[in-house]
Every structure is written in structure tokens, then in C-alpha cells.
Amino acid sequence: MKSRSHLIMIGALSVVIASCFSYRELPVEYDYSYKGRFDKYSNYDFLIQSENEELEGGGKIIQTAIESHMKFLGYKRKDSKPDLLLSFRVFVDSLNFRGYNQPRIEDWMAKQDRDLEYDRLKIGMKEGTLLIQIFDRKQKTSIWQGYATDYYGRVNFSDYRDVNNAVKSILNKYQFFADGFLDEQKKILSQTP
């Protein structure tokens, strides 16, 4: 039992290490809501957005990359009344965007101070910026958004590797496993002969 568990762990570690070397991390910023219950979500679905249809196949590539990352974190896609609704958008022009100066989300999660004040920032987004937003369906509000802020106009949104790299760079800042997922994995590993 011990050797099989070790082989599984070594295999998983190899995949993680290989994936780390197969892409270059893009500069990313993210904001989050102090009302987010990041340790309580287990499923998601996508908001339907007509502008994503105009990405000439890029929209499907982006959605597939997001699905892959959410699956890695243990989230299940659910059509009816999901915990989270995900949205993405590519901005073809440069623009100013409102963000927030906040503690790192990991530090905030340790205390979960829901009474903190939001310190607004104006962030310049270059053309070709990919924005990914996560909404709490029950609260009907955005709880997290990640976006690249620099050197991002070089991403080719019809190239799977470039898109996958962009999505990974952004969603690596959203590091919350689905509620119950880690316990489920421990149970599976403990039952492996």
C-alpha cells in the first residue's frame, strides 16, 4: 500500500513540476470580495456571454482551459444552481480598470475579516487583456477577479498553448480547492491497496 501511494504521489508531483516548466508565468493582478466564502464552494458553471462567441474559437479554448483548472482544484461543473458562476472576457482595447489594494488572499483567509475597507486603485489594462471573474450565485456578486496587467498584448488567443498559459497564470492566484475535495482525495488514497 505504501509503495503504490508513493508512486501516485511521485506521479502527481512529476505532472505538477512538468506543468510548471511548460509555461511562463504572466504578470497577474487579482481582487476579491471580503464576502467570499472561498472554503465553502464545490461546483460552478459559466455565465453565457455573447462577446465570447466573437473570439473566433478563442472563447472555447479559454473555457476549456478554465474547466481544466477548476477540475484540478476539485470543482464539478453543475448546470442547475451552481455555487459559482464563471465569466471571462478579452479586452481588445487598452482601458483603465478599477481594482483594489488588498492583503494577499491567503493572509486574509487566515482571519477572514469581513469588515475591512476597500482601497480602490485605477489599473491600466493593455490591449488583449484576459479578465476572469468568479461570482457567488447566491450572493449575486463578484467574489474574485484575475487579470493580466502587463506584456499581455502578445498572447495569441487562437493558440491553445498561449491561452492555456494565460489562464494558468491568472487562475494560479485562485488557489482554493473545492469544499470536501481534499478529504475525498485522502479517503481514496487511504483505501488504495
Side-chain angles (χ1 to χ4, degrees), residues 85-100:
L85 293 169
L86 278 64
S87 162
F88 61 90
R89 185 168 186 187
V90 174
F91 292 95
V92 294
D93 293 320
S94 298
L95 63 118
N96 287 323
F97 190 78
R98 184 178 69 203
Y100 301 96

Side-chain angles (χ1 to χ4, degrees), residues 14 18 20 84 106 153 163 172:
S14 299
C20 289
L84 300 173
E106 297 85 0
V163 170
N172 277 345

Side-chain angles (χ1 to χ4, degrees), residues 137-148:
R137 185 190 56 80
K138 287 183 183 176
Q139 293 184 41
K140 297 180 182 177
T141 188
S142 174
I143 57 159
W144 189 92
Q145 61 187 12
Y147 41 90

